[in-house]
Amino acid sequence: MRSNGCGDLRKEHIDNSVQLCGWVDRRRDHGGVIFIDLRDRTGTVQITVDPDLGAEAFAVAEHLRSETVLQISGKVRARPAESLNEKLATGAVEVLASGITVLNSVKGNLPFPVSVHDEENTREELRLRHRYLDLRRKRMNDNLRLRAQTIQAARRFLEDEGFIEVETPVLTRSTPEGARDYVLPSRVCGGEWFALPQSPQLFKQLLMVGGIERYYQVARCFRDEDLRADRQPEFTQLDIEMSFMDQEEILQLNESLICSIWKAVKGIDLPRPFPRMTWHDAMERYGTDRPDTRYGMELTNVSDIVKDMGFKVFSGAVKNGGAVKCIAVPGGNEALSNVRIKPGGDVFSEAQKAGAGGLAFIRVRDGGEIDTIGAIKDNLSDEQKQELLSRTGAEPGTLLLFGAGDTATVNKALDRVRQYLAKELGMVKADRDNDQWNFLWVVDFPMFEFNSDENRYEALHHPFCAPNAEDLGSDASQWADTLPGARAQAYDLVLNGLELGGGSLRIHDSALQRQVLQTVGLPLEEAQEQFGFLMDALDVGAPPHGGLAFGVDRMVMLLAGEESIRDTIAFPKTQQARCLMTNAPGGVADKQLEELHVASTWVDPTEEDSN
RNA sequence: GGGACCGUAGUUCAACCGGUUAGAGCACCGCCCUGUCACGGCGGAAGUUGCGGGUUCGAAUCCCGUCGGUCCCGCCA
């Protein structure tokens, strides 16, 4: 149907007869001559329709609207010297139309404009309802191309390294721990249920037992949890697993992978090696396991300085086993008024949202004088003051913001305040303009976290991570005691404060695997019932193995400078996990439910009262 | 499950502390215009202010409920 792409035409095509297909981006009617911007996936070119040089085409062109689908035949010619368009890649030429065929027209009003010139803030609800139109817009079209490039670059790298892509089941079984499963009734096996995979974790380990040695998969994963800007109920992981590799080798290989993706997609040579930080340091210095290292304002622990002071908020926190930490905001005295850091202020409420009771502050004035509430000032000795200033590196003009309480809450609150201030004070560029790529490996995660509500240990990562051998010790009879406090051979790749991926070395010893499952509170019989196949597999010569998985949606989001993974997914769901275009989920016929041996107990709350 | 914000013409927005016939840009329709490129000029049509209720002489505006969307907390190994 066409000889060239609209956006491909250049001077060298002058005098060529061409056929083009595409959409009317815009039409400019000068009464005598009509210009049409014709757009296809390659770009836009100007079509000129002259009544003297194509009367039939002119008659059609007179009534064209935006987004009409056209086939155009004509001749490429140079534009007059005074009407070159430097803003357009094809701006040196135009196509003089001899024939215009309308392939399809737009009936009624468009739900929203498509042209790049009209890409204003369209309500996302509308974009999702008419996603096919939204995808036609440059922004989404570009994002999907960028996504394909990203995946393509990963595939090329991994294939070159001897990895093969293996598909794993989408119909699988539910496992305890982790997120809520999407569940699917079995028609054939009445009363039994499939679950959609939260990740291919166990299957990829079994592929290692199966001698694949190097596996990857662009895998769809499913988790029935509430949504966020960076969380969808179905999402895509670049899932990788390999045998006979230690942690260092795995990190190196994945750095190479990331570098080749960034090179292919952004043309950037990332500096190597990526910095590393232990989980413990990350929590201590940033209050989070995924620090954004693009800016400073690290957390300083001042618990020891204030542990005995008269200001009970501080000393009490330390006495109760908590901590007092602070962040130093350079120039904060100038930039942040008291109104903003006191109750009701925007900075204060950030801390509050993270569960903090308050946000104490000290303003450092000229000559190291401090300005703060009396309760702090009156209870701080000169020595303590000096120590505070030197440890935080505070200079005149610096604002110190303090969190006090249990350590987890303090970390959470100050992490949140730190991120908020970085944006507020312009320490990071807007996502759209970001050109800083601060990768960071966070290593040495703890194996477990104690859940005080349920009075048991939970796997921080998942219960298949291999513990650090030193922490575990060689005496298997001691594992029940050494395991809970052990570090895992687990690692996360963090980019600009977002978790891009994570993984670990896996347990390849069935006895150790049983012990870990017991530690997270799974009785032996249940472990056998749920994971017997895994333990059996480990007993037939499982190789040492490990791997990781990257969040493809997030990676593309960062590469595209978007703030939501919905803008990297062709057909995403809303926060209510609904598709506004197809209106899924929807009802099914009673007969279908019968066949599945399922009855619904759902009661429409709006009709509940009538009973 | 909880907190916050949003919903006005096809669309993007406006309409102060409740007060004439709810306005504007773009899009749409008609007319004019032979070098524009987010063309320009003149004119026109277009609204159950998401929906339901309440307060009031009077509601887009205030209150309650509800539906939908977004952000966040919980949740997400």
Side-chain angles (χ1 to χ4, degrees):
Chain A
M1 288 182 79
R2 60 180 161 188
S3 62
N4 297 76
C6 295
D8 295 336
L9 296 179
R10 295 291 184 276
K11 275 184 186 160
E12 70 212 55
H13 296 99
I14 287 170
D15 289 335
N16 285 11
S17 289
V18 295
Q19 280 204 311
L20 303 175
C21 291
W23 288 266
V24 175
D25 193 71
R26 259 198 153 73
R27 186 180 69 110
R28 291 175 295 281
D29 185 346
H30 287 252
V33 64
I34 296 172
F35 300 105
I36 299 164
D37 290 337
L38 192 69
R39 183 192 71 233
D40 66 12
R41 71 169 203 280
T42 62
T44 303
V45 69
Q46 173 165 286
I47 312 295
T48 304
V49 193
D50 188 322
D52 305 329
L53 300 168
E56 273 179 48
F58 190 82
V60 178
E62 274 190 307
H63 296 100
L64 292 177
R65 292 169 48 183
S66 292
E67 300 312 309
T68 303
V69 191
L70 299 183
Q71 181 184 38
I72 287 194
S73 44
K75 194 167 244 183
V76 182
R77 67 178 186 187
R79 290 193 184 203
E82 67 279 9
S83 17
L84 303 179
N85 185 351
E86 287 175 4
K87 284 183 274 182
L88 215 55
T90 59
V93 300
E94 61 187 8
V95 175
L96 179 66
S98 53
I100 301 180
T101 307
V102 174
L103 299 174
N104 209 344
S105 60
V106 175
K107 287 89 181 170
N109 281 315
L110 286 169
F112 48 81
V114 175
S115 170
V116 69
H117 305 295
D118 298 309
E119 276 192 19
E120 39 196 328
N121 306 326
T122 306
R123 285 236 304 283
E124 192 166 7
E125 190 177 344
L126 275 177
R127 293 176 53 206
L128 293 177
R129 184 155 284 134
H130 309 277
R131 191 59 156 181
Y132 37 82
L133 243 203
D134 190 38
L135 295 180
R136 202 138 94 200
R137 304 219 267 194
K138 182 167 168 47
R139 172 176 163 195
M140 281 304 298
N141 215 281
D142 286 350
N143 285 354
L144 291 187
R145 288 174 199 288
L146 190 115
R147 184 181 178 109
Q149 274 178 26
T150 304
I151 293 171
Q152 169 68 14
R155 282 208 162 97
R156 193 179 306 126
F157 175 88
L158 290 167
E159 294 281 344
D160 286 349
E161 292 288 332
F163 287 76
I164 62 167
E165 181 159 20
V166 182
E167 290 156 280
T168 53
V170 167
L171 301 181
T172 179
R173 65 171 297 160
S174 180
T175 52
E177 296 242 353
R180 194 177 294 115
D181 286 317
Y182 271 98
V183 146
L184 200 68
S186 165
R187 176 183 61 83
V188 178
C189 307
E192 296 190 284
W193 306 78
F194 292 106
L196 306 183
Q198 295 178 23
S199 79
Q201 180 61 35
L202 290 174
F203 288 107
K204 68 174 174 178
Q205 290 190 233
L206 295 165
L207 287 171
M208 294 304 103
V209 180
I212 298 300
E213 290 193 26
R214 292 190 158 207
Y215 144 92
Y216 79 98
Q217 184 180 193
V218 179
R220 196 63 67 84
C221 307
F222 306 87
R223 293 177 192 176
D224 188 5
E225 295 291 349
D226 288 338
L227 284 71
R228 289 284 190 282
D230 61 352
R231 271 166 30 193
Q232 283 274 302
E234 52 179 317
F235 60 99
T236 305
Q237 281 189 348
L238 176 60
D239 196 42
I240 299 173
E241 194 79 0
M242 59 209 103
S243 299
F244 308 121
M245 299 269 278
D246 61 27
Q247 175 167 322
E248 185 57 35
E249 291 167 321
I250 291 176
L251 297 192
Q252 288 297 337
L253 183 120
N254 280 285
E255 273 188 36
S256 300
L257 166 65
I258 292 294
C259 287
S260 71
I261 291 174
W262 254 252
K263 180 71 177 173
V265 176
K266 305 291 281 188
I268 293 172
D269 290 300
L270 295 173
R272 289 185 70 175
F274 296 172
R276 310 240 178 124
M277 190 183 294
T278 64
W279 178 87
H280 183 267
D281 279 356
M283 295 305 294
E284 187 62 23
R285 291 167 52 193
Y286 295 92
T288 173
D289 59 4
R290 45 182 176 89
D292 190 339
T293 57
R294 285 176 296 173
Y295 48 90
M297 294 198 295
E298 289 186 23
L299 278 53
T300 308
N301 196 327
V302 296
S303 303
D304 58 313
I305 305 177
V306 300
K307 66 178 193 297
D308 295 320
M309 77 181 281
F311 184 50
K312 292 286 185 291
V313 174
F314 283 2
S315 53
V318 181
K319 285 203 176 72
N320 292 329
V324 180
K325 295 169 93 167
C326 76
I327 52 182
V329 186
N333 280 353
E334 190 90 355
L336 298 171
S337 65
N338 276 357
V339 174
R340 298 184 67 181
I341 57 180
K342 286 185 168 174
D346 58 332
V347 181
F348 185 93
S349 37
E350 284 301 317
Q352 215 169 24
K353 280 179 202 162
L359 193 64
F361 69 92
I362 291 178
R363 293 184 183 276
V364 184
R365 304 294 188 192
D366 287 338
E369 285 304 305
I370 65 169
D371 183 0
T372 177
I373 58 169
I376 296 178
K377 203 171 184 176
D378 300 342
N379 286 300
L380 213 53
S381 70
D382 277 351
E383 214 171 36
Q384 289 171 320
K385 199 177 81 181
Q386 281 315 313
E387 180 60 25
L388 258 184
L389 295 184
S390 70
R391 193 179 298 179
T392 56
E395 290 174 2
T398 299
L399 170 67
L400 299 175
L401 293 172
F402 293 81
D406 71 90
T407 309
T409 307
V410 168
N411 281 337
K412 208 168 164 184
L414 291 184
D415 166 42
R416 190 168 169 132
V417 168
R418 180 175 172 271
Q419 292 189 53
Y420 179 75
L421 288 180
K423 283 203 184 89
E424 280 293 304
L425 304 178
M427 294 175 176
V428 284
K429 289 187 185 173
D431 293 333
R432 194 127 211 122
D433 307 317
N434 176 62
D435 55 3
Q436 224 180 325
W437 306 102
N438 282 31
F439 287 90
L440 176 72
W441 286 111
V442 177
V443 298
D444 291 345
F445 279 75
M447 282 287 287
F448 308 102
E449 201 171 36
F450 193 72
N451 183 329
S452 44
D453 291 341
E454 297 180 25
N455 196 37
R456 67 181 188 94
Y457 287 100
E458 279 177 346
L460 200 72
H461 214 104
H462 56 57
F464 313 107
C465 293
N468 179 293
E470 279 176 36
D471 295 352
L472 184 69
S474 52
D475 182 355
S477 66
Q478 298 296 308
W479 285 352
D481 298 323
T482 55
L483 206 42
R487 290 168 297 169
Q489 299 187 61
Y491 33 81
D492 275 1
L493 183 61
V494 175
L495 169 55
N496 295 353
L498 278 185
E499 183 193 329
L500 202 58
S504 65
L505 268 70
R506 324 298 184 189
I507 297 167
H508 63 282
D509 176 277
S510 63
L512 181 55
Q513 183 64 71
R514 278 193 190 87
Q515 182 58 58
V516 169
L517 291 173
Q518 269 187 283
T519 301
V520 298
L522 203 62
L524 268 180
E525 312 82 69
E526 267 184 57
Q528 190 57 36
E529 205 243 311
Q530 309 260 3
F531 299 112
F533 63 97
L534 174 66
M535 257 82 79
D536 289 349
L538 296 183
D539 280 337
V540 294
H545 61 283
L548 78 177
F550 293 105
V552 170
D553 312 283
R554 274 184 202 173
M555 192 183 292
V556 176
M557 175 179 88
L558 290 164
L559 285 165
E562 294 288 0
E563 291 179 15
S564 162
I565 62 170
R566 290 188 300 278
D567 291 326
T568 72
I569 296 172
F571 300 104
K573 309 261 189 295
T574 68
Q575 195 160 45
Q576 301 303 312
R578 180 177 289 284
C579 170
L580 291 181
M581 191 181 67
T582 63
N583 221 13
V588 296
D590 289 344
K591 182 160 185 289
Q592 288 175 286
L593 292 183
E594 273 171 44
E595 285 176 342
L596 294 167
H597 324 287
V598 164
S600 175
T601 60
W602 171 253
V603 180
D604 188 336
T606 58
E607 294 170 11
E608 207 169 12
D609 293 342
S610 58
N611 297 336

